[in-house]
């Protein structure tokens, strides 16, 4: 009875605080900002189910309730206890949440890189008074070396100085190799830095990666061999990321394992755009690593599982 059809939703884009999910209202009409732990809730203001919250209507009457968390473990950070589902800010740069004993955080400050360019030859980060995040500022250099700091990016042409509307034409593209996948099994991320964009500015790119499933079982090796290098998935599968599922199925290759102490890591890969569909009906695309060939060696990467790091723990529903 509380739902009105046809649906009437605000025309302005939805603006939610950092770390707050976009969810459908109970009528399935409009996306709204999910209510957090301890906040009032209703049919049109649902709780953030990504964080294990539900609307308890027994506490307050007249169609309203309060968001409570399902039973789960509390979190201990520097001696302070947080309830399951509770959001908090340990510093002005981090927005965190306790999820059944695990703490996940997102950065509130940008970690972008800025490359010297004609309009900003000497950029640097500056901490301003009463501001939490550092900001980029440009310092004017002398006219003689105005473009000297950008020689690593722009092609040298004595007859022509790169104009602001001609940056991409004069940009010398620089791209690093993709980093090692953040997880040795299961879904992780890999990063690189490139200036292959219209502004010719260094930016960090990320892609999803899966070296092997965590339930990977060592196949039987041929006589005399101690490694299975690059087995291909026998059955097609759908990738899962942040509670969302790829719209199409794939038969990816994974890196195998060895019985003599060596480790197998991707040697030759490609990057493909994969589309995901979420339970709420949203679609989004992410770059994803596909393995073509693996190599087995003793130079094994160290444990760099950033998914276990407190400040980089990804949460279900973080696709927004």
């Amino acid at each position: 009875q509380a739902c009105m059809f046809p649906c009437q939703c605000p025309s302005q884009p939805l603006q939610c605080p950092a770390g707050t999910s976009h969810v459908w209202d109970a009528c399935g009409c409009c996306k709204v900002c999910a209510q957090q732990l301890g906040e009032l809730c209703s049919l049109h203001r649902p709780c953030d189910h990504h964080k294990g919250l539900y609307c308890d209507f027994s506490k307050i009457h007249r169609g309203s309730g309060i968001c409570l968390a399902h039973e789960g473990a509390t979190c201990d950070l520097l001696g302070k206890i947080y309830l399951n589902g509770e959001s908090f800010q340990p510093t002005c740069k981090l927005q965190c949440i306790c999820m059944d004993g695990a703490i996940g955080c997102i950065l509130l400050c940008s970690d972008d890189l800025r490359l010297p360019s004609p309009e900003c030859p000497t950029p640097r980060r500056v901490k301003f008074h009463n501001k939490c995040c550092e900001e980029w500022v440009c310092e004017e250099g002398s006219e003689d070396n105005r473009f000297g700091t950008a020689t690593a990016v722009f092609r040298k042409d004595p007859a022509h100085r790169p104009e602001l509307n001609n940056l991409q034409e004069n940009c010398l593209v620089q791209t690093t190799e993709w980093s090692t996948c953040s997880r040795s099994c299961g879904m992780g991320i890999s990063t690189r830095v490139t200036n292959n964009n219209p502004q010719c500015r260094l930016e960090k790119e990320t892609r999803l990666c899966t070296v092997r499933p965590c339930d990977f079982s060592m196949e039987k090796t041929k006589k005399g061999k101690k490694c299975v290098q690059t087995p291909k998935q026998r059955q097609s599968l759908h990738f899962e990321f942040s509670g969302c599922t790829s719209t199409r199925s794939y038969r990816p290759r994974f890196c195998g394992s060895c019985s003599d102490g060596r480790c197998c890591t991707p040697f030759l890969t490609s990057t493909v755009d994969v589309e995901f569909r979420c339970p709420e009906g949203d679609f989004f695309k992410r770059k994803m690593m596909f393995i073509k060939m693996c190599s087995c060696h003793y130079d094994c990467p160290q444990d760099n599982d950033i998914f276990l790091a407190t400040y980089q723990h990804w949460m279900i529903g973080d696709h927004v």
Side-chain angles (χ1 to χ4, degrees), residues 3 14 24 48 57-58 63 71 82 86 91 114 119 154 161 165 192 210 212 230 233 252 280 307:
C3 298
L14 193 60
W24 291 106
D48 199 335
F57 290 98
S58 65
E71 290 297 325
Y82 297 95
E86 183 176 358
T91 72
R114 183 158 187 177
E119 77 274 17
F154 297 97
R161 277 188 173 184
N165 59 359
R192 72 177 181 181
T210 303
R212 64 183 61 83
T230 320
Q233 187 74 11
E280 292 83 7
F307 277 66

Side-chain angles (χ1 to χ4, degrees), residues 211 216 219 227-233 252-257 264-268 291-296:
V211 177
F216 178 79
E219 297 182 2
C227 291
V228 176
Q229 279 192 322
T230 320
K232 190 171 185 178
Q233 187 74 11
R253 292 182 182 274
F254 296 119
C255 289
S257 58
C264 285
T265 57
F267 175 70
L268 187 61
I291 298 172
K292 294 184 177 180
M293 185 184 301
C294 300
S295 63
C296 297

Side-chain angles (χ1 to χ4, degrees), residues 1-2 5 32 92 110 166 181 194 196 215 280:
Q1 294 179 354
F5 296 101
V32 295
C92 63
S110 172
N166 213 18
C181 191
T194 182
N196 189 12
D215 57 356
E280 292 83 7

Side-chain angles (χ1 to χ4, degrees), residues 296-308:
C296 297
H297 48 82
Y298 289 104
D299 185 22
C300 298
Q302 299 295 318
D303 182 13
N304 65 339
D305 190 349
I306 67 170
F307 277 66
L308 299 180

Side-chain angles (χ1 to χ4, degrees), residues 72-83:
T74 58
C75 301
D76 184 350
L77 181 63
L78 301 177
K80 189 170 182 178
I81 304 298
Y82 297 95
L83 300 177

Side-chain angles (χ1 to χ4, degrees), residues 78-196:
L78 301 177
K80 189 170 182 178
I81 304 298
Y82 297 95
L83 300 177
N84 178 39
E86 183 176 358
S87 296
F88 58 95
Q89 275 191 258
T91 72
C92 63
K93 295 183 178 182
L94 291 176
Q95 178 72 42
C96 303
I97 183 174
C98 172
M99 288 190 64
D100 196 17
I103 296 177
C105 303
I106 59 173
L107 287 171
L108 300 179
C109 296
S110 172
D111 60 349
D112 63 324
L113 299 173
R114 183 158 187 177
L115 189 71
S117 59
E119 77 274 17
C120 187
T122 54
R124 65 186 183 93
R125 280 186 179 273
V126 174
K127 180 71 170 69
F128 289 99
H129 183 60
N130 293 331
K131 286 191 176 181
C132 176
C133 303
E134 293 85 2
E135 296 182 4
W136 285 104
V137 297
C138 296
E139 293 185 346
E140 292 293 335
S142 64
E143 191 64 28
D144 293 337
N145 66 348
R146 179 172 175 77
F147 296 96
T149 55
T151 54
V153 178
F154 297 97
R155 297 186 179 92
K156 293 181 179 179
D157 185 355
H160 174 70
R161 277 188 173 184
E163 301 295 336
L164 297 184
N165 59 359
N166 213 18
L167 292 179
Q168 197 167 20
E169 179 182 338
N170 293 276
C171 183
L172 184 61
V173 175
Q174 300 176 97
T175 303
T176 66
E177 295 293 330
W178 287 104
S179 67
T180 303
C181 191
S182 63
R183 298 190 68 170
S184 58
C185 76
M187 186 75 77
I189 59 172
S190 176
T191 62
R192 72 177 181 181
V193 175
T194 182
N195 66 334
N196 189 12

Side-chain angles (χ1 to χ4, degrees), residues 78 83 242 262-263:
L78 301 177
L83 300 177
S242 294
R262 286 184 289 173
C263 54

